[in-house]
Amino acid sequence: MARWTIDPPKTALIIIDMSNDFLKPGAPMELPGGRAMIPHLNRLAQACRARSIPVIYTTHAHRPDGSDMGRMGDLFRNVREGRMLSAGTEGVEIYPDIQPLPGDHLIEKRRYSAFQNTDLELILRNKGIDTVIIGGVATNICCESTAREAFFKDFKVVFLSDGNATFDLPDRGWGRIPKEEVQRYVLTTLAWGFGRVASISEVLEELEATS
Amino acid sequence: MARWTIDPPKTALIIIDMSNDFLKPGAPMELPGGRAMIPHLNRLAQACRARSIPVIYTTHAHRPDGSDMGRMGDLFRNVREGRMLSAGTEGVEIYPDIQPLPGDHLIEKRRYSAFQNTDLELILRNKGIDTVIIGGVATNICCESTAREAFFKDFKVVFLSDGNATFDLPDRGWGRIPKEEVQRYVLTTLAWGFGRVASISEVLEELEATS
């Protein structure tokens, strides 16, 4: 695993898709594990802001006319029909308990990876960032896709072991996979070949040691 | 899972990183499971060529001066030191038993995803391709990264359940994961959110039905 340390002037925190469609009780794709992380992610975001580390939120949203939908619509009927991830709806707003603060950034993305067809890379390069701390939902979908692409683009990835949450994978022919197993698999793959995996408290300790 | 069917004039077969560094007995990152797939992948490639479906091979190779290395070098000492994945060496040549034939394409890539900083997308768009069949090594690293990005770019992904092979993931703090489990996890995640997963024989049958 990469032994990268966190240098605050070159670091950004990216919080993926903590929106109502994934977090609100009763939401179309509710991830209760996502809500459980909120106090911890908020504490980390606060520690980042105190050190001028940019805090960047993403939300996954498609144009209501479907013009950017692509294959997403083939896979997810509720997305295709605008019942979730639809720009301009409450569903794509960041969940109230983990709101961005003035000075934070918000990126509306169309694909799982926050780098695809957004200005994320421009923002990071303009700020001289070389390290990205990644948290949010869902671990194996949008968070992992963003982590993989960050690595391809030469950012040092610090993936939060307890700051990303996911869901049980349904049986598609090879058996159902409980979310704990999915989490364990993703952390192990990312630590093998995509960067560093660390807990929120490890990152907090490292940040405190720098100030 | 997406129910996309295969339309030969709009389809390409992408064979990822079947190079000596991963396949040769005794190679630095030998994947014996990769060699076992060769007769089946060759049969599929032959069926594709017979229907004018482009067959595109990739090989992962870095410039010997390290100028394109990025974070790859931070993670893998044997890559950084040019002992594997080094352009111009025998290691990055396609393994003899699965050689490209005249008319096939070969792409030298620098990152796990074959779309990053290569002409893969140009080739596919120029040929009017909208469906990519993906096989090769390693399932969860280069093959999955390429499948994810193909989906982001609106290609219909057909990921071969028995035409991709991987390795045991070492314990990085969450336990070792045997390759069969890694394979099962990747197929289930891709079938959930990135496209269609099919066996080589399913694809062959479908191709035979079209001619």
Side-chain angles (χ1 to χ4, degrees), chain A:
Chain A
M1 182 156 75
R3 300 286 161 206
W4 301 318
T5 54
I6 295 170
D7 180 17
K10 295 184 175 175
T11 300
L13 171 63
I14 305 178
I15 297 178
I16 303 284
D17 294 4
M18 294 290 278
S19 61
N20 290 314
D21 276 340
F22 297 109
L23 292 187
K24 202 174 168 181
M29 229 200 101
E30 185 190 353
L31 297 168
R35 286 200 300 279
M37 303 186 304
I38 288 179
H40 311 290
L41 285 176
N42 278 339
R43 199 151 46 100
L44 179 58
Q46 223 23 68
C48 287
R49 293 182 191 110
R51 287 159 183 84
S52 303
I53 293 174
V55 181
I56 303 171
Y57 292 75
T58 71
T59 184
H60 192 119
H62 293 282
R63 292 175 189 260
D65 65 3
S67 51
D68 61 42
M69 191 73 80
R71 300 301 165 199
M72 282 293 294
D74 294 1
L75 262 70
F76 301 104
R77 187 173 165 181
N78 53 8
V79 177
R80 183 172 68 244
E81 294 178 354
R83 280 180 284 116
M84 70 177 290
L85 307 188
S86 183
T89 65
E90 193 209 354
V92 304
E93 289 171 18
I94 302 298
Y95 189 67
D97 297 351
I98 187 169
Q99 279 297 309
L101 296 189
D104 293 346
H105 304 266
L106 177 65
I107 291 173
E108 200 175 85
K109 68 185 180 64
R110 313 287 188 215
R111 294 292 180 267
Y112 302 148
S113 165
F115 285 96
Q116 292 277 323
N117 310 99
T118 71
D119 59 354
L120 174 58
E121 188 175 1
L122 296 181
I123 295 172
L124 297 175
R125 301 277 183 220
N126 271 274
K127 292 180 179 288
I129 302 297
D130 74 0
T131 302
V132 291
I133 304 168
I134 296 175
V137 294
T139 310
N140 52 324
I141 308 298
C142 294
C143 304
E144 182 180 353
S145 292
T146 301
R148 285 180 183 242
E149 192 156 6
F151 174 72
F152 301 152
K153 297 188 181 304
D154 289 342
F155 295 100
K156 300 177 196 174
V157 171
V158 180
F159 196 83
L160 297 171
S161 55
D162 55 355
N164 289 278
T166 191
F167 54 94
D168 298 336
L169 283 174
D171 183 357
R172 289 284 191 267
W174 307 275
R176 178 178 160 281
I177 307 182
K179 57 181 178 297
E180 298 77 11
E181 279 301 296
V182 175
Q183 186 81 6
R184 178 173 163 257
Y185 165 79
V186 175
L187 301 183
T188 305
T189 284
L190 293 182
W192 184 87
F194 295 88
R196 179 182 166 194
V197 178
S199 67
I200 293 176
S201 63
E202 278 178 80
V203 173
L204 279 170
E205 271 174 42
E206 214 169 303
L207 288 176
E208 278 154 21
T210 63
S211 58

Side-chain angles (χ1 to χ4, degrees), chain B residues 45-104:
Chain B
Q46 221 28 63
C48 286
R49 293 181 192 112
R51 286 158 185 83
S52 303
I53 294 175
V55 180
I56 302 171
Y57 291 75
T58 72
T59 184
H60 192 119
H62 292 283
R63 290 174 191 260
D65 66 3
S67 51
D68 61 42
M69 191 75 78
R71 300 299 166 200
M72 281 293 294
D74 295 2
L75 261 70
F76 302 103
R77 187 173 165 182
N78 53 7
V79 177
R80 183 171 70 246
E81 295 178 353
R83 280 180 282 114
M84 71 178 289
L85 307 188
S86 183
T89 65
E90 192 207 353
V92 304
E93 289 171 16
I94 303 298
Y95 189 67
D97 298 351
I98 188 170
Q99 280 296 311
L101 297 189
D104 294 345

Side-chain angles (χ1 to χ4, degrees), chain B residues 41-205:
Chain B
L41 286 174
N42 277 340
R43 198 152 45 103
L44 178 58
Q46 221 28 63
C48 286
R49 293 181 192 112
R51 286 158 185 83
S52 303
I53 294 175
V55 180
I56 302 171
Y57 291 75
T58 72
T59 184
H60 192 119
H62 292 283
R63 290 174 191 260
D65 66 3
S67 51
D68 61 42
M69 191 75 78
R71 300 299 166 200
M72 281 293 294
D74 295 2
L75 261 70
F76 302 103
R77 187 173 165 182
N78 53 7
V79 177
R80 183 171 70 246
E81 295 178 353
R83 280 180 282 114
M84 71 178 289
L85 307 188
S86 183
T89 65
E90 192 207 353
V92 304
E93 289 171 16
I94 303 298
Y95 189 67
D97 298 351
I98 188 170
Q99 280 296 311
L101 297 189
D104 294 345
H105 304 267
L106 176 65
I107 292 174
E108 200 175 85
K109 70 186 180 61
R110 313 288 189 212
R111 294 293 180 266
Y112 302 149
S113 165
F115 285 96
Q116 293 277 324
N117 309 101
T118 70
D119 59 354
L120 174 59
E121 188 176 359
L122 297 181
I123 294 172
L124 297 175
R125 301 276 183 222
N126 270 273
K127 291 178 179 291
I129 302 297
D130 73 1
T131 302
V132 290
I133 304 167
I134 297 176
V137 295
T139 309
N140 52 325
I141 308 298
C142 294
C143 304
E144 181 179 353
S145 292
T146 301
R148 286 179 182 243
E149 192 155 5
F151 174 72
F152 301 153
K153 296 188 182 302
D154 290 341
F155 294 99
K156 301 178 196 173
V157 171
V158 180
F159 195 84
L160 297 171
S161 56
D162 54 356
N164 288 276
T166 190
F167 53 95
D168 298 336
L169 282 174
D171 183 359
R172 289 284 191 264
W174 307 274
R176 179 178 159 281
I177 307 182
K179 56 182 180 295
E180 297 76 12
E181 281 300 297
V182 176
Q183 186 80 6
R184 178 175 164 254
Y185 165 80
V186 175
L187 301 184
T188 305
T189 284
L190 293 182
W192 184 87
F194 296 87
R196 178 181 167 195
V197 178
S199 67
I200 293 177
S201 62
E202 279 178 79
V203 172
L204 279 170
E205 272 173 41

